[in-house]
Amino acid sequence: MRAPSCEERLPQQPAMHAPAAAAAAAAAAAAAAAAAAGHCGGSSRALPGARRRLAGRSEEGLEQEAALQALMTGGPNLQLLRTFGERWARSTLKDSSKAKDGLVLLCATAGVRGARLPERIDGTPETTKAALAAVVREAQSQAPPSGSLASLPAASAKQVAARLCHFFAAAVACLATAAGLEGSQPGHGEGGAPALLRSLVTWLAAAAAGTPVRALRLAASAAGFGALQALNYERCIARSAGAEIEKQLAALQAASSHRPDALQAGRVARLVRARADARKVIDLLTTHSKILQDTLLKPRLRDAAPSIRSLALNCLVRLIHSDPETFGTGGWPQRVVQAFCDPSAEVRLRAVQLASQFFARRKSMDDAGAPEACADQSGSLKAADGGLWSLTAQLVPLLAERARDVDPKVAAAAVRGLRLPCLAKLLSDADFAAVACLCFVAPETHLACRVEAVLLVDQHLLPEPGLGAAAKEEEAARRKEASTRCRAHGVEEVSEAAADEAEPRRAEEEESSNLEQHFGAERGILALIDFLVNYLPPNQLQLSSRVVRALWGRHAQCTDTSIRADCLLRWATMADLCLMGEGAGAADGIPALSGRQRLGLLYVLEASVRCAVRAAENDSKSATWLQAAAAGLLPRLPRLFELLGSEQDCIALLALISQRLLRYLCFQSKHAGAGPSDGAEAREMPLELPRGLLAVLLRLAGSREAPQPPRVALHLSDCLASMASRSLEAQSACQGLAAELCKACESRLPRPHTRGARPPFSSDCELAASVGPLVALGSRGVDIWSCSEPQGTANHLLQGAIYLLEARSIAMTGPGGASEMQPAPGVISAGSAAHLLDLMVLLLFWRARAGQLHASQQRDTARPAAEGKAGFLLACSLVRACCAKLLAAEKRSLVLRFHAFSAYMTVLHLEIGAAVLPADADATSWPRVSAEHAEALAGTLDSFFDRCPALVLAQERQSVSLDKVCETGWRVKVSGNCLPMTAVDQPLTASRWLLEQQLSWPTPDEEGSEVIAVASSRMVAECEHEAVFTGPAAQRLLRELARGGPTHADLAPPGALAQVRASASTLARRLRRLGGRSHPEATRGFLVQFGACTQHAEQLGIQAGMRLAEALILEAQPPSAPGSRAAVRLGKGLAAALQRHSLEAIQSQGISRHAKLEVLAPWLRDAACPLPAGSAKQLAGTLAASLGLLTPACKKVKKPGRAIASQGSAQDLQSVPGAWALVHALQVRGSACLKRSMSWKVKVQDQARRRRMRCTRKSLAAAAAGGGG
């Protein structure tokens, strides 16, 4: 039987057997010590605390310091650690008192002082227990020093533990060899090496089991595992030697039985004695190994620390590999299986990796013919078969379960293990399907698991040759291993001369294999499509993009320049497969793909183009892939559009593919200097675009018979805009299409002179078919105002859209309203109304741009510009009035109401931008928001909050979250599962996302309601008009602060409740910031907060209003510095707001209104209240007189803490307690505000001025005295 190699005992570490290495270690002792001293001298400052835990500065102390430095920071190599361990073992054999040095080094590594250890280490349990108790008590009474095992991060601590294992493995191997030599001598007693070995084993087992200090337990466990592996290794060597002795003895005995001889008898006697000595050594090593197994390995497999359990698991698997006869049975392999369900992800990962390495090693041995070539390992293989190999039936289901682990590393390692042929063939059909579907359903955090699942499908499911990804990975691994082996042996891989000779041969082979590669790629693509169609439901084929992303590079964003499946670069092949069987040429007899197969192929093609675009954006070297894609796909796109024109999903994917290719190519051409000059024809692009593609795009974008969905229309318009940026022909064609669509929309909308008649459109679908493409073109850079303005249709479009929206508002406010599913005759649907809102906003945008350009070109003629601006402002006010009416009337369609809300805010800010132009800005041009509009906005915001389940229940829901909503609350990240918006690169605005969902599913889901609540709250909080952010809508938003939970965006969870509260907090801080800039802004800010608290108190009670006031005060922090300009302005604003709000409450009817004045008291009780004392006194007297709290005979303000003397005042106090609470708070504020001392700067200046005056007077007096003398 072959003895286990040193790599099997301690992988990746060079080692020597202890007796054989004794001479070499003694010869290299001086060099090793010098290297260690030099190493630690370079970084001696890294471990100041650890070095202080060692003994003095003698030669032995310096050696211990060098060993500690090598253990903590890593020496030049691990052979140095083994040298230190062997030297310590030999010194211990010479002087048993030196045994303490190794344990002191162990304690120093763990950050524990070893001074309380006994001078002589014996193996008695009582002495060991008492000494360890003293060490533990001292360790618990002190904090762990810096630079010790307890203060290191997890990764560094694991490396230190591995070094400790090597150190003690070398020491114990040396002691075991010496113990075996002493035990074989006749008449040897119990002392010497056997006693030292027994004492060391006892101490390591006790230190690992009997200490609550985790660092000491970890260090002792690592040292004990090294000792156990060394003992097991020495025992295997002794067994191998005993087996050889048995063979020789049997041969001699057989020979001497035929011919007795005295010489043969002597040899037999010597072999018998050697066999007895070997058995004695084996028994000695087995005894100590059994102690460590029972007292160290078994308990540490159940340790509370995951790092210790992981170390124990590593040790166990190494022991199973090195000594399968002992550890392949007895329940040891079952402990590895149990680690698959460990609560720690670190232990689960290590268990999966070790099991996979075991089966991978068996696979490599089987591939190399190991059982036939290595007959001497048959016993070991059989024992191993009885170990982990016998538990394969249990391991395979556990690996399939770990493939769905919550930890990404564990899941990826499990799927990687299941890719082994010996395990994959044992998977059941259900488990295989579940693991294969991970390439679709694995989350974004499990990208490595998704890649492994794709490679599993390619290796074990797809027919040959498959995608070639798994074979390519195996070939890369073999080349890397061969290159590493060649470098290790100093052999060049391929010389330059050999490479030059092989180049022509390689070119011939590549030329001959091109056809084979083409057909192989075609078969691989078809196999992938069959897999996608069979494993994905019909409505989830968009998940195919995840498989493609896994096959492109190693990163999620496809930034790697390598690609796993070369067949995904066969752009022309994929396009020809879509066209297969549809032409009249040579492929006429070939059956065409089915509808689902073609759709799946288009999803794969679109995802490949997306990955190529991202790779080209991140790496310029990868641009050749995109150029190849454009060369292979652009000529075939017109034919694909014609073939699949009736299939909406296919048209959407083709439009997206065209948009990606054209946008990137036109952008690169523009930045490469290929742009046309003014009045000159456009230069040709690097890749000539097919002329038929422009005609197809124009036909699809302007089709009114079969209108495209909004997202598809936007993609088609983006294609046209990209082509128009590089081609004058495409630019004129787009303008002509826009003019045609404007004319068609004008024919569908009512004329200005027919305002009393019925709208002239025949159906709602025809209106949407005309407006939708026009909106898409306007959103993608086509000037729809200039296209329609020469014909005089722009104003007609605005007036007709306003008329139709007002007609819907009137119909909704009529008796019984109108049904959303069956609108009344002459009333447009919600989808058409949303299109008209988009059209009005886009017309205003383009009109503002045209007016700005006209004003910049004609600066001398200000009158036409002023007239154009007045007309623009009038149009904006009419559109806002239409939106306000729609907000007040619309009750059924929540999405349309939010769209009108967003349109109102957009037009308002557009009007603000036009009103504040520096050339002609005046006070009269500032937009006015009427009270009706403000109430409509507030009512709409309130309805949004009432429809949001999270706000109604006042708690976050786990089922629906707002992870897709960006931090600003304006945009929504679109996932690939949303079919109408497949593969959208950039986040959409919340309004656009909801609108496109509304056109697909008329009833918004709960997630849509949450998005509406979050986006609308952000609009109100960030609006620039004071009538909005200080109006009724702001009051409704501020009331959301009364709910509990975090308010800051970085602390808020991704839920609607937290994000709405974050918007309210932003508004409260903004009001405080603006209030510090001007007195009127401060007054408005305090008034809106007072109004919010009053409304909250009227609905939920005084206590609720008080809590809201306290929340508003807290959110407005930090307070302004006392005496600063901001504090003065805030104080004046607070006084004016208190007086105005209180007088309004006094003038209102009913005593309940007076009681709500109590909610204003928290602002006065705040320690950072900016209200001056004089203003508080004056305001207290004014309010007390207005509320009748003072008698006519005495108008003085009541002093704090004293009762009112008049009987009438007491009756008023009982009738209006809330008003008196406000007056009392003002009185306290006016009398309790002490005079603040001057600032430190003023104090220093005053002291310096006085000191200078004293010095001046002294000098003048001295001068006068001298002159007089």
Side-chain angles (χ1 to χ4, degrees):
M1 170 182 168
R2 183 185 65 86
S5 64
C6 190
E7 284 93 353
E8 293 176 344
R9 180 175 63 130
L10 295 174
Q12 302 177 357
Q13 310 302 334
M16 294 184 291
H17 184 45
H39 177 74
C40 66
S43 59
S44 60
R45 294 185 298 273
L47 299 169
R51 293 208 312 270
R52 285 194 299 268
R53 295 187 296 276
L54 295 175
R57 303 297 297 177
S58 61
E59 182 179 356
E60 297 177 357
L62 290 175
E63 185 175 350
Q64 287 187 359
E65 182 179 340
L68 179 63
Q69 186 76 19
L71 284 172
M72 298 302 297
T73 61
N77 50 48
L78 290 178
Q79 182 61 34
L80 180 62
L81 285 174
R82 302 183 61 81
T83 303
F84 280 130
E86 292 171 357
R87 293 182 63 186
W88 170 62
R90 286 193 295 271
S91 65
T92 303
L93 292 174
K94 295 179 182 179
D95 185 2
S96 60
S97 63
K98 300 295 184 181
K100 177 183 176 181
D101 296 342
L103 298 180
V104 171
L105 183 64
L106 175 67
C107 294
T109 306
V112 179
R113 292 178 58 87
R116 293 187 176 274
L117 292 175
E119 292 298 329
R120 289 189 174 274
I121 304 299
D122 56 5
T124 58
E126 294 79 7
T127 307
T128 304
K129 185 176 181 181
L132 283 176
V135 171
V136 169
R137 282 195 303 269
E138 185 176 1
Q140 290 178 338
S141 62
Q142 299 177 358
S146 61
S148 62
L149 191 61
S151 60
L152 292 178
S156 301
K158 189 180 299 183
Q159 296 176 1
V160 172
R163 299 187 193 108
L164 275 172
C165 182
H166 282 276
F167 178 85
F168 278 91
V172 171
C174 185
L175 290 176
T177 303
L181 293 176
E182 292 181 6
S184 62
Q185 296 177 3
H188 183 74
E190 292 295 331
L196 289 174
L197 184 61
R198 182 177 65 254
S199 301
L200 181 61
V201 167
T202 304
W203 271 88
L204 291 179
T211 171
V213 182
R214 179 172 296 184
L216 181 58
R217 195 167 72 249
L218 174 60
S221 299
F225 293 149
L228 178 58
Q229 295 177 54
L231 290 173
N232 186 73
Y233 178 68
E234 297 297 330
R235 185 176 60 177
C236 290
I237 293 177
R239 283 179 179 175
S240 179
E244 292 294 333
I245 292 174
E246 291 285 353
K247 291 180 181 179
Q248 296 179 15
L249 183 59
L252 287 176
Q253 288 177 350
S256 61
S257 61
H258 300 286
R259 185 184 300 174
D261 190 1
L263 181 61
Q264 294 290 344
R267 291 179 180 178
V268 169
R270 288 195 297 272
L271 288 177
V272 169
R273 289 194 300 270
R275 182 179 61 181
D277 294 339
R279 290 177 178 177
K280 190 181 299 183
V281 171
I282 292 174
D283 294 339
L284 175 66
L285 297 177
T286 302
T287 302
H288 295 311
S289 176
K290 186 65 175 176
I291 294 174
L292 289 177
Q293 294 176 30
D294 297 337
T295 61
L296 179 67
L297 184 57
K298 288 182 179 179
R300 294 314 105 205
L301 285 170
R302 300 186 301 271
D303 196 276
S307 57
I308 298 179
R309 296 201 302 271
S310 180
L311 280 176
L313 190 64
N314 286 339
C315 177
L316 175 58
V317 174
R318 288 176 181 176
L319 292 173
I320 293 176
H321 290 164
S322 61
D323 190 7
E325 295 181 0
T326 303
F327 293 94
T329 58
W332 291 110
Q334 191 66 32
R335 298 178 185 273
V336 179
V337 177
Q338 294 173 359
F340 276 72
C341 303
D342 193 272
S344 173
E346 177 186 358
V347 181
R348 295 198 306 271
L349 175 62
R350 194 58 187 154
V352 171
Q353 290 175 345
L354 292 172
S356 302
Q357 291 172 6
F358 173 80
F359 289 107
R361 184 180 293 108
R362 286 300 309 272
K363 174 182 177 297
S364 61
M365 293 172 64
D366 293 341
D367 293 342
E372 293 79 7
C374 304
D376 57 340
Q377 299 184 17
S378 58
S380 175
L381 290 176
K382 290 181 180 179
D385 289 346
L388 286 178
W389 195 261
S390 63
L391 302 177
T392 307
Q394 300 181 28
L395 287 174
V396 171
L398 284 175
L399 283 173
E401 182 181 353
R402 289 304 102 209
R404 297 183 291 273
D405 198 281
V406 295
D407 188 82
K409 295 181 180 180
V410 177
V415 181
R416 190 181 304 113
L418 289 174
R419 287 175 52 196
L420 297 172
C422 57
L423 299 180
K425 65 182 181 181
L426 298 177
L427 277 171
S428 63
D429 294 341
D431 289 340
F432 190 92
V435 176
C437 288
L438 288 176
C439 58
F440 309 122
V441 301
E444 294 297 327
T445 56
H446 290 59
L447 293 176
C449 176
R450 191 185 301 170
V451 171
E452 296 295 336
V454 172
L455 295 177
L456 172 70
V457 170
D458 181 27
Q459 189 174 358
H460 298 287
L461 182 62
L462 300 183
E464 291 293 337
L467 299 174
K472 188 175 182 180
E473 186 188 46
E474 293 179 358
E475 180 65 23
R478 283 195 296 268
R479 289 182 179 178
K480 183 178 180 180
E481 183 180 358
S483 175
T484 304
R485 192 183 303 109
C486 290
R487 287 196 300 268
H489 291 82
V491 180
E492 296 183 1
E493 299 180 26
V494 179
S495 62
E496 296 182 0
D500 294 339
E501 294 177 0
E503 187 65 28
R505 190 176 350 106
R506 187 182 302 109
E508 294 178 0
E509 293 177 357
E510 290 180 357
E511 183 177 359
S512 62
S513 63
N514 282 337
L515 185 61
E516 182 181 355
Q517 291 179 0
H518 172 76
F519 285 112
E522 184 176 299
R523 289 193 297 269
I525 293 172
L526 291 176
L528 176 62
I529 299 307
D530 290 337
F531 165 70
L532 296 175
V533 171
N534 292 327
Y535 276 79
L536 282 175
N539 58 345
Q540 293 184 2
L541 279 176
Q542 64 272 14
L543 296 179
S544 307
S545 60
R546 297 188 173 187
V547 179
V548 177
R549 289 176 58 192
L551 292 171
W552 271 77
R554 291 175 295 179
H555 302 286
Q557 281 74 25
C558 303
T559 58
D560 192 10
T561 56
S562 63
I563 179 172
R564 292 187 173 90
D566 294 332
C567 62
L568 295 179
L569 296 177
R570 302 280 181 168
W571 313 103
T573 301
M574 288 188 279
D576 291 339
L577 287 176
C578 290
L579 297 172
M580 186 174 60
E582 301 293 341
D588 189 13
I590 301 177
L593 298 178
S594 63
R596 287 191 60 193
Q597 288 178 330
R598 186 175 290 157
L599 181 60
L601 181 56
L602 286 178
Y603 273 115
V604 172
L605 181 59
E606 184 274 326
S608 299
V609 172
R610 186 199 315 175
C611 293
V613 170
R614 291 182 179 178
E617 291 174 352
N618 296 318
D619 185 12
S620 59
K621 298 181 180 179
S622 304
T624 54
W625 292 342
L626 195 59
Q627 294 176 1
L633 294 178
L634 288 179
R636 294 169 173 82
L637 282 177
R639 177 64 179 141
L640 288 172
F641 275 115
E642 293 178 2
L643 175 64
L644 307 174
S646 59
E647 301 179 14
Q648 193 176 63
D649 295 338
C650 296
I651 288 295
L653 293 171
L654 290 175
L656 190 55
I657 293 172
S658 305
Q659 181 248 6
R660 295 186 191 281
L661 292 176
L662 292 174
R663 183 174 58 183
Y664 181 78
L665 292 178
C666 294
F667 177 80
Q668 292 297 325
S669 176
K670 179 180 179 181
H671 284 265
S677 59
D678 295 339
E681 294 184 357
R683 301 179 184 177
E684 293 185 356
M685 296 179 57
L687 182 64
E688 184 177 358
L689 299 178
R691 299 181 60 87
L693 183 59
L694 177 61
V696 172
L697 293 175
L698 289 172
R699 178 175 57 82
L700 292 174
S703 175
R704 296 188 294 275
E705 293 78 10
Q708 305 295 337
R711 182 54 42 186
V712 179
L714 288 174
H715 289 161
L716 293 173
S717 301
D718 205 352
C719 294
L720 292 174
S722 299
M723 298 182 69
S725 65
R726 308 309 310 147
S727 171
L728 295 179
E729 178 185 1
Q731 185 177 355
S732 60
C734 291
Q735 292 176 355
L737 177 61
E740 181 183 353
L741 291 174
C742 287
K743 187 175 181 180
C745 291
E746 184 187 12
S747 64
R748 302 295 179 187
L749 296 175
R751 293 284 184 139
H753 60 273
T754 59
R755 292 186 60 85
R758 179 179 174 179
F761 66 90
S762 58
S763 65
D764 189 77
C765 296
E766 294 181 359
L767 177 63
S770 302
V771 176
L774 183 60
V775 169
L777 288 175
S779 302
R780 289 300 183 263
V782 179
D783 190 353
I784 59 177
W785 177 267
S786 300
C787 294
S788 59
E789 195 270 335
Q791 303 175 3
T793 59
N795 290 326
H796 297 166
L797 291 176
L798 279 176
Q799 295 173 2
I802 292 174
Y803 175 79
L804 290 180
L805 292 174
E806 290 180 350
R808 178 179 173 86
S809 302
I810 295 173
M812 289 296 173
T813 56
S819 174
E820 183 62 30
M821 301 303 296
Q822 296 180 356
V827 178
I828 57 176
S829 63
S832 297
H835 281 306
L836 290 178
L837 287 172
D838 283 341
L839 178 61
M840 292 192 303
V841 173
L842 286 173
L843 286 173
L844 292 177
F845 267 122
W846 285 109
R847 181 171 181 178
R849 182 177 180 275
Q852 186 177 3
L853 293 176
H854 183 72
S856 62
Q857 294 174 0
Q858 300 179 357
R859 296 182 182 275
D860 298 333
T861 58
R863 183 175 179 182
E867 293 178 356
K869 177 180 176 180
F872 173 73
L873 295 178
L874 177 61
C876 289
S877 62
L878 292 176
V879 172
R880 286 196 294 111
C882 177
C883 293
K885 293 179 182 178
L886 192 60
L887 289 175
E890 187 65 39
K891 303 298 181 184
R892 286 178 171 81
S893 179
L894 186 66
V895 174
L896 178 59
R897 201 173 185 185
F898 174 72
H899 207 56
F901 189 90
S902 176
Y904 187 96
M905 291 294 184
T906 303
V907 175
L908 178 61
H909 286 84
L910 189 62
E911 193 174 356
I912 291 174
V916 297
L917 289 176
D920 50 359
D922 54 359
T924 58
S925 61
W926 185 257
R928 177 179 176 272
V929 177
S930 62
E932 292 80 4
H933 292 187
E935 292 295 336
L937 292 175
T940 304
L941 185 65
D942 186 69
S943 67
F944 291 161
F945 289 166
D946 291 341
R947 295 283 295 273
C948 181
L951 299 182
V952 173
L953 300 176
Q955 60 182 1
E956 299 289 5
R957 296 177 299 113
Q958 300 296 331
S959 58
V960 180
S961 62
L962 289 182
D963 295 334
K964 60 177 60 177
V965 179
C966 297
E967 290 78 7
T968 57
W970 291 90
R971 294 186 175 272
V972 179
K973 302 174 185 177
V974 181
S975 62
N977 300 333
C978 194
L979 188 58
M981 294 166 285
T982 301
V984 178
D985 293 334
Q986 301 298 330
L988 300 177
T989 60
S991 180
R992 170 60 54 187
W993 179 74
L994 290 164
L995 175 60
E996 296 191 16
Q997 274 198 335
Q998 170 72 11
L999 297 178
S1000 302
W1001 302 289
T1003 303
D1005 54 2
E1006 295 178 352
E1007 190 175 10
S1009 303
E1010 293 184 351
V1011 172
I1012 289 174
V1014 172
S1016 58
S1017 63
R1018 283 286 180 183
M1019 292 180 190
V1020 173
E1022 300 177 8
C1023 183
E1024 296 296 332
H1025 201 284
E1026 66 277 359
V1028 178
F1029 71 85
T1030 61
Q1035 294 180 7
R1036 180 63 186 88
L1037 177 59
L1038 290 175
R1039 288 174 55 189
E1040 294 300 319
L1041 282 175
R1043 308 181 190 273
T1047 56
H1048 298 284
D1050 53 348
L1051 301 177
L1057 177 60
Q1059 293 201 27
V1060 170
R1061 294 192 72 252
S1063 301
S1065 175
T1066 301
L1067 178 58
R1069 292 194 297 270
R1070 181 187 179 192
L1071 292 174
R1072 172 58 67 93
R1073 184 176 65 255
L1074 295 178
R1077 297 178 182 176
S1078 67
H1079 170 211
E1081 292 287 349
T1083 304
R1084 283 196 293 264
F1086 282 113
L1087 281 176
V1088 67
Q1089 297 180 62
F1090 295 164
C1093 294
T1094 302
Q1095 291 180 3
H1096 204 65
E1098 289 177 352
Q1099 292 187 5
L1100 302 177
I1102 293 293
Q1103 297 300 325
M1106 299 282 283
R1107 287 193 298 268
L1108 176 59
E1110 294 173 357
L1112 288 172
I1113 294 172
L1114 290 176
E1115 291 302 324
Q1117 300 295 333
S1120 301
S1124 62
R1125 295 182 179 180
V1128 172
R1129 292 164 185 159
L1130 287 171
K1132 292 182 179 179
L1134 179 58
L1138 285 171
Q1139 184 174 5
R1140 180 176 172 181
H1141 186 82
S1142 302
L1143 293 179
E1144 289 179 357
I1146 293 171
Q1147 295 174 2
S1148 62
Q1149 301 295 329
I1151 200 68
S1152 60
R1153 187 67 175 177
H1154 296 176
K1156 303 303 184 294
L1157 292 174
E1158 189 177 355
V1159 299
L1160 308 182
W1163 274 276
L1164 301 173
R1165 298 168 185 166
D1166 184 28
C1169 177
L1171 184 65
S1175 302
K1177 290 181 180 180
Q1178 182 180 1
L1179 188 58
T1182 303
L1183 292 181
S1186 302
L1187 292 170
L1189 299 179
L1190 298 177
T1191 60
C1194 182
K1195 294 293 183 181
K1196 296 182 180 180
V1197 180
K1198 168 189 169 291
K1199 294 183 179 180
R1202 296 185 181 180
I1204 299 179
S1206 121
Q1207 184 178 0
S1209 299
Q1211 293 176 357
D1212 293 336
L1213 177 63
Q1214 295 175 0
S1215 60
V1216 284
W1220 169 243
L1222 177 61
V1223 173
H1224 181 69
L1226 287 169
Q1227 289 178 337
V1228 173
R1229 183 68 188 172
S1231 60
C1233 289
L1234 301 178
K1235 182 179 180 181
R1236 300 184 182 274
S1237 60
M1238 62 183 68
S1239 64
W1240 66 272
K1241 288 185 178 180
V1242 177
K1243 288 182 180 180
V1244 172
Q1245 293 174 359
D1246 186 47
Q1247 292 175 1
R1249 190 183 301 109
R1250 292 180 181 180
R1251 192 181 303 109
R1252 185 176 57 189
M1253 292 299 295
R1254 286 196 299 268
C1255 293
T1256 303
R1257 284 195 293 268
K1258 289 180 180 180
S1259 61
L1260 291 176

